[in-house]
Amino acid sequence: MPASTRRKQAHSAPLPVPRHFVDDYLPALLAQASHLISSEFHKVARQHGFSISEWRVMATLAGGDPISIGRLAQVAVMKQPTVTRMLDRMASKGHVERLPHDSDRRITLVRITDAGERTVKHLMELAREHEHRVLEPFGLQSAEVLKNTLRRMIELHEDAGAAVEDEED
């Protein structure tokens, strides 16, 4: 057996047998992983002058087409009234702008401005570096499989999530 394989085996402790329901329940595991990994990066975002909510909004809008405030709230995992209030502050700083929808006056679109893109560009680079450090132990192929699986889960369940939010409000 090659020395590198022996070292990997020596450092790979067996995973603990789940003792509690949440130790083996996918939503709980996803929430815990998200919280831990996000918390690491949130420190960096705050050091660069962004609140966590502002970072989520800017990261959601960066490099993309205008989206509705409702969709922005869904992707940024925030309540729509909170996003609406925050957009007022962010628009006054010149980071985002609101646009009318082409065919539906009830929908307001929002997009990041060029100034907003410049403001968040370095932070997005740092976020990619953080992501790389988080995923590196699993290998590139495993990381892509995980991301694709999560994208598919989101796709399959996003309508159900929006319905539940409507019921809770």
Side-chain angles (χ1 to χ4, degrees), residues 13-160:
L15 295 175
V17 175
R19 294 183 47 211
H20 302 283
F21 174 75
V22 295
D23 295 336
D24 196 42
Y25 184 55
L26 179 65
L29 294 170
L30 289 170
Q32 290 175 57
S34 174
H35 176 74
L36 292 169
I37 294 165
S38 294
S39 293
E40 292 171 357
F41 188 73
H42 290 165
K43 292 174 189 174
V44 175
R46 283 192 291 271
Q47 289 169 352
H48 284 80
F50 288 90
S51 73
I52 304 317
S53 298
E54 289 171 331
W55 160 244
R56 287 181 179 171
V57 167
M58 296 288 275
T60 300
L61 294 173
D65 294 328
I67 61 174
S68 71
I69 294 173
R71 179 68 179 147
L72 174 60
Q74 185 180 19
V75 174
V77 193
M78 299 169 63
K79 295 204 176 287
Q80 187 167 336
T82 303
V83 171
T84 300
R85 286 189 302 271
M86 186 182 342
L87 289 173
D88 291 336
R89 292 189 305 271
M90 295 174 78
S92 70
K93 294 178 184 177
H95 292 159
V96 300
E97 63 184 349
R98 289 184 170 94
L99 306 166
H101 190 276
D102 288 340
S103 60
D104 191 338
R105 294 183 308 167
R106 297 169 296 172
I107 298 174
T108 300
L109 301 175
V110 63
R111 74 174 168 203
I112 194 168
T113 62
D114 290 342
E117 289 273 6
R118 286 189 300 274
T119 300
V120 79
K121 183 178 186 225
H122 179 64
L123 194 56
M124 289 189 316
E125 291 167 1
L126 294 174
R128 286 282 185 209
E129 290 171 12
H130 175 253
E131 176 189 52
H132 179 77
R133 286 189 304 275
V134 167
L135 295 174
E136 190 174 37
F138 306 100
L140 182 58
Q141 187 174 1
S142 292
E144 283 306 310
V145 169
L146 174 61
K147 285 182 177 184
N148 288 333
T149 300
L150 292 172
R151 285 186 199 103
R152 184 68 176 134
M153 277 185 194
I154 292 165
E155 180 184 317
L156 291 171
H157 297 276
E158 65 186 342
D159 290 339

